[in-house]
Amino acid sequence: MTVIRSAREDEIPAVGALVSHSFNDLAANAYLVPPLSDRERVMADFFTLYTEHAYSYGRVDVIDHEDGGLAATAVWFDRANELPEPPRYAERLRELAGEHLERFDALDEVFDKNHPHEEHWHLAFLAVRPSEQGRGLGGALMRHTHEKLVAEGLAAYLEATNENNVRLYQRHGYTPMTPFEIYLPDGTPFYRMWRAV
């Protein structure tokens, strides 16, 4: 049986590292941090920054791995209530992004411009350790929160990163929005999806 629990505050950096490791081959990460030698470290700091904020303004769920680390995580933001910007966001982003700051600013601009205004919860990151993928952990994490959202009459939103993920999310009740595809400056797409109440 898969046990899902809330992450502890001291696990937030481990969650950020798991997301970075799991997303390392994504086109969006390659755009944000082109040098492979820097990518996983910079992106771990970026994902940690957001996970820290979700810990206060949403939820961070994890599944433990038998080796004592984390096997999977889901990082959600509560967009049914007011969501402030992360503390010292511009300063912290500048510190972690360094020479890649312009690319992270472009990502923020694309996401901000295309984020829905209706009340919802935002699935920011769904990450499964590569060795554990295909075992249903991501689906279990989604169902865990979807049950609570259905009970509260709230929709869910996400930006899928590729067509394989689109199919996964469709199996869990998400449908394409209009516009469906949004693009980073280099043409890398994200796919906007909505799970109605």
Side-chain angles (χ1 to χ4, degrees):
M1 181 179 139
T2 300
V3 177
I4 297 169
R5 63 175 178 83
S6 297
R8 301 187 310 270
E9 189 170 8
D10 66 339
E11 292 178 305
I12 289 172
V15 171
L18 171 62
V19 178
S20 180
H21 182 62
S22 301
F23 288 11
N24 202 42
D25 293 333
L26 294 181
N29 284 29
Y31 166 78
L32 290 167
V33 185
L36 188 57
S37 58
D38 297 338
R39 187 177 306 153
E40 198 163 334
R41 174 185 53 79
V42 173
M43 294 307 299
D45 289 344
F46 177 70
F47 293 131
T48 296
L49 188 161
Y50 271 93
T51 301
E52 190 178 281
H53 200 48
Y55 186 82
S56 299
Y57 293 95
R59 62 184 301 137
V60 181
D61 293 322
V62 296
I63 296 171
D64 292 309
H65 191 275
E66 60 188 15
D67 69 4
L70 300 176
T73 187
V75 178
W76 295 84
F77 284 100
D78 175 1
R79 301 294 293 249
N81 293 290
E82 187 175 347
L83 179 64
E85 189 173 81
R88 299 175 41 246
Y89 178 68
E91 178 186 342
R92 293 177 69 190
L93 185 64
R94 189 167 57 250
E95 288 171 1
L96 72 88
E99 63 185 296
H100 312 297
L101 179 61
E102 190 175 310
R103 293 169 181 258
F104 283 87
D105 286 342
L107 176 75
D108 282 348
E109 185 177 336
V110 169
F111 279 179
D112 290 347
K113 188 170 76 173
N114 291 284
H115 203 100
H117 299 291
E118 299 91 337
E119 290 187 353
H120 64 278
W121 275 59
H122 176 203
L123 178 54
F125 315 126
L126 180 69
V128 178
R129 191 189 289 202
S131 64
E132 302 302 306
Q133 291 174 6
R135 296 183 47 222
L137 301 184
L141 283 162
M142 281 190 282
R143 285 190 298 274
H144 183 70
T145 294
H146 290 163
E147 289 171 4
K148 294 172 170 50
L149 297 183
V150 168
E152 295 173 19
L154 289 168
Y157 168 76
L158 57 82
E159 300 103 351
T161 52
N162 58 48
E163 292 176 3
N164 285 339
N165 288 342
V166 167
R167 288 189 286 274
L168 166 68
Y169 294 129
Q170 284 178 320
R171 291 198 299 271
H172 289 272
Y174 289 84
T175 57
M177 298 179 72
T178 303
F180 181 38
E181 296 181 6
I182 57 176
Y183 298 94
L184 291 172
D186 71 338
T188 297
F190 288 92
Y191 304 90
R192 301 167 72 241
M193 303 189 76
W194 185 260
R195 189 177 194 272
V197 177

